[in-house]
């Protein structure tokens, strides 16, 4: 769908109202240049409720629905698609394709950052839907989405030589409230022996984060020989009570998903995603949320940390804001973009 005529508000549909979805919903309602026209929910208990009630805002006149056709019939310029990441990775494909074919642009926080990473067949799946609907797809979040694709890649533009990049993410997962996400999608509380390198969870995250690796390497003109997994799970030292529930001693309390993009037998790009329910352990205590390390001339290290908002009565975390922010900021660019898969521009990165 092409950009809206000058002066007309952008028609927005919000898809899903979990932690990030509610943050997006409030962001849409609070902006004068956006008109909320539809709200999709998965829970029957939310269906029929006013979007303002769900968002803790004034009534909007938009009622939540579980029916995708109601969303499509509202003729949104863009759908902010924020369901929970699910096993398998392709869970949301049918909805995404249906929305794109209908003519709605889609910005999603549930993967699809760089479908080309999975080969031409998967990329073609989305390109065909975009061509049919004259629509645009953009997958974005903070990681994947910002840390590697924008911050690290932008930083490589200051390199004269570049030998290796490492990106470490170390996040305290204790406040994650959703039991299904914490215990099913993240694998916390699992038997450590069950989270093998070829299991469903490593496979899910390999599909997601391969898109960051492939995007970064393509922009730098780097052809990697293979992506090698290097995973570790860490059992809890004691029984834990966290926001999502209980984690028994000896079950998984930390997951370290790590991949190395290998070039000529050596790691060129290493991406580590470490989520822990025991952030005070010696190996995690005091570590920055993200550390980008460029080995070359010059050698550079950049760290990024989230600061929780000091807003009494608010339940929105810094993690929810930093995931929702890139979606809200992308609306105008995605609506104005030509049909296809939107790929954010990167100015003058390092190039082999």
């Amino acid at each position: 769908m092409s950009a809206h005529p000058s002066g007309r508000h952008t028609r927005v549909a919000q898809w899903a109202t979990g932690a990030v979805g509610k943050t997006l919903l409030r962001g849409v309602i609070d902006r004068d240049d956006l008109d909320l026209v539809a709200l999709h929910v998965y829970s029957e208990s939310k269906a029929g409720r006013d979007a303002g009630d769900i968002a803790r805002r004034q009534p909007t006149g938009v009622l939540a629905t579980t029916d995708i056709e109601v969303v499509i019939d509202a003729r949104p310029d863009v759908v902010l698609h924020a369901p929970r990441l699910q096993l398998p990775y392709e869970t949301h494909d049918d909805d995404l394709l249906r929305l794109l074919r209908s003519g709605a642009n889609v910005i999603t926080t549930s993967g699809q950052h760089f479908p080309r990473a999975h080969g031409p067949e998967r990329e073609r799946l989305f390109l065909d839907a975009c061509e049919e609907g004259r629509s645009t797809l953009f997958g974005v979040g903070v990681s994947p989405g910002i840390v590697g694709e924008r911050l690290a890649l932008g930083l490589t533009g200051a390199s004269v030589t570049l030998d290796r990049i490492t990106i470490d993410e170390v996040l305290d997962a204790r406040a994650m409230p959703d039991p299904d996400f914490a215990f099913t999608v993240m694998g916390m509380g699992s038997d450590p022996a069950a989270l093998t390198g070829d299991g469903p969870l490593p496979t899910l995250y390999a599909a997601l984060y391969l898109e960051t690796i492939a995007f970064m390497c393509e922009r730098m003109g780097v052809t990697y020989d293979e992506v090698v997994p290097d995973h570790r799970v860490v059992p809890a030292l004691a029984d834990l009570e966290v926001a999502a529930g209980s984690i028994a001693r000896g079950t998984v309390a930390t997951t370290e998903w790590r991949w190395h993009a290998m070039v000529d037998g050596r790691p060129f790009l290493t991406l580590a995603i470490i989520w822990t329910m025991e952030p005070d352990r010696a190996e995690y205590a005091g570590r920055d949320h993200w550390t980008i390390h460029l080995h070359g001339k010059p050698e550079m290290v950049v760290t990024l940390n989230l600061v929780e908002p000091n807003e009494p009565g608010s339940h929105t975390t810094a993690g929810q804001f930093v995931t929702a922010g890139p979606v809200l900021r992308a609306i105008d660019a995605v609506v104005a973009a030509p049909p296809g898969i939107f790929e954010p521009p990167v100015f003058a990165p390092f190039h082999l």
Side-chain angles (χ1 to χ4, degrees), residues 121-134:
E121 184 176 344
R122 181 159 184 81
E123 182 182 34
R124 191 75 252 167
L125 184 73
F126 292 109
L127 286 174
D128 286 347
C130 291
E131 183 176 339
E132 181 177 336
R134 307 300 296 167

Side-chain angles (χ1 to χ4, degrees), residues 191-215:
D191 176 0
L195 291 188
T196 58
D198 58 354
L201 281 177
T203 300
L204 171 70
Y205 289 115
L208 178 66
Y209 289 103
L210 174 63
E211 299 182 6
T212 293
I213 292 170
F215 182 87

Side-chain angles (χ1 to χ4, degrees), residues 59-84:
T60 63
V62 175
L63 301 183
T65 180
T66 58
D67 188 348
I68 188 173
E69 296 302 326
V70 173
V71 176
I72 290 170
D73 289 345
R75 302 297 298 163
D77 294 315
V78 63
V79 178
L80 307 186
H81 180 262
R84 186 187 308 119

Side-chain angles (χ1 to χ4, degrees), residues 37-348:
V37 298
L39 174 62
H40 185 278
V41 295
Y42 288 98
S43 169
E44 291 291 347
S45 64
K46 292 181 180 178
R49 289 176 58 188
D50 190 282
D53 178 44
I54 294 174
R56 299 195 302 275
R57 293 292 191 267
Q58 294 298 313
T60 63
V62 175
L63 301 183
T65 180
T66 58
D67 188 348
I68 188 173
E69 296 302 326
V70 173
V71 176
I72 290 170
D73 289 345
R75 302 297 298 163
D77 294 315
V78 63
V79 178
L80 307 186
H81 180 262
R84 186 187 308 119
L85 189 67
Q86 294 280 4
L87 291 162
Y89 185 61
E90 299 79 14
T91 294
H92 300 295
D93 282 7
D94 288 347
D95 288 335
L96 288 169
L97 294 170
R98 178 73 183 90
L99 292 167
L100 291 167
R101 291 191 190 105
S102 77
N105 300 297
V106 178
I107 305 174
T108 180
T109 61
S110 189
Q112 324 319 325
H113 301 265
F114 193 53
R116 187 153 66 249
H118 306 294
E121 184 176 344
R122 181 159 184 81
E123 182 182 34
R124 191 75 252 167
L125 184 73
F126 292 109
L127 286 174
D128 286 347
C130 291
E131 183 176 339
E132 181 177 336
R134 307 300 296 167
S135 55
T136 303
L137 171 67
F138 182 38
V140 72
V142 63
S143 178
I146 298 293
V147 174
E149 292 89 334
R150 299 194 207 177
L151 295 183
L153 259 182
L155 189 63
T156 69
S159 297
V160 175
T161 64
L162 183 59
D163 302 318
R164 184 181 181 191
I165 304 171
T166 62
I167 303 173
D168 286 347
E169 172 179 304
V170 182
L171 296 182
D172 180 351
R174 291 175 298 179
M176 293 183 176
D178 189 326
D180 183 59
F181 185 78
F183 300 127
T184 302
V185 178
M186 294 181 66
M188 299 298 178
S190 302
D191 176 0
L195 291 188
T196 58
D198 58 354
L201 281 177
T203 300
L204 171 70
Y205 289 115
L208 178 66
Y209 289 103
L210 174 63
E211 299 182 6
T212 293
I213 292 170
F215 182 87
M216 291 181 65
C217 286
E218 182 181 287
R219 290 302 184 272
M220 290 184 287
V222 173
T223 301
Y224 50 82
D225 303 314
E226 60 179 334
V227 175
V228 177
D230 180 14
H231 304 319
R232 185 171 83 112
V233 296
V234 182
L237 294 172
D239 292 340
L240 304 175
E241 292 296 328
V242 296
S246 301
I247 296 175
R249 180 180 182 274
T251 65
V252 173
T254 300
T255 56
E256 297 187 8
W257 311 120
R258 186 178 287 103
W259 301 270
H260 307 286
M262 306 295 290
V263 176
D264 296 332
R266 298 188 305 159
F268 173 75
L269 171 59
T270 295
L271 180 60
I273 308 298
I274 301 168
W275 296 318
T276 181
M277 297 291 186
E278 295 182 302
D280 297 328
R281 291 179 70 127
E283 59 263 54
Y284 309 121
R287 292 179 65 175
D288 296 292
H289 292 153
W290 287 278
T291 302
I292 300 168
H293 193 159
L294 272 59
H295 302 259
K297 292 185 176 64
E299 183 173 358
M300 294 177 278
V301 178
V302 170
T303 60
L304 172 65
N305 289 286
L306 298 177
V307 179
E308 293 300 330
N310 183 17
E311 297 177 359
S314 173
H315 301 292
T316 306
T317 67
Q320 292 159 22
F321 280 125
V322 82
T323 306
V327 177
L328 294 168
R329 301 284 72 78
I331 290 173
D332 291 346
V334 170
V335 170
I341 299 170
F342 186 84
E343 296 177 8
V346 181
F347 177 75

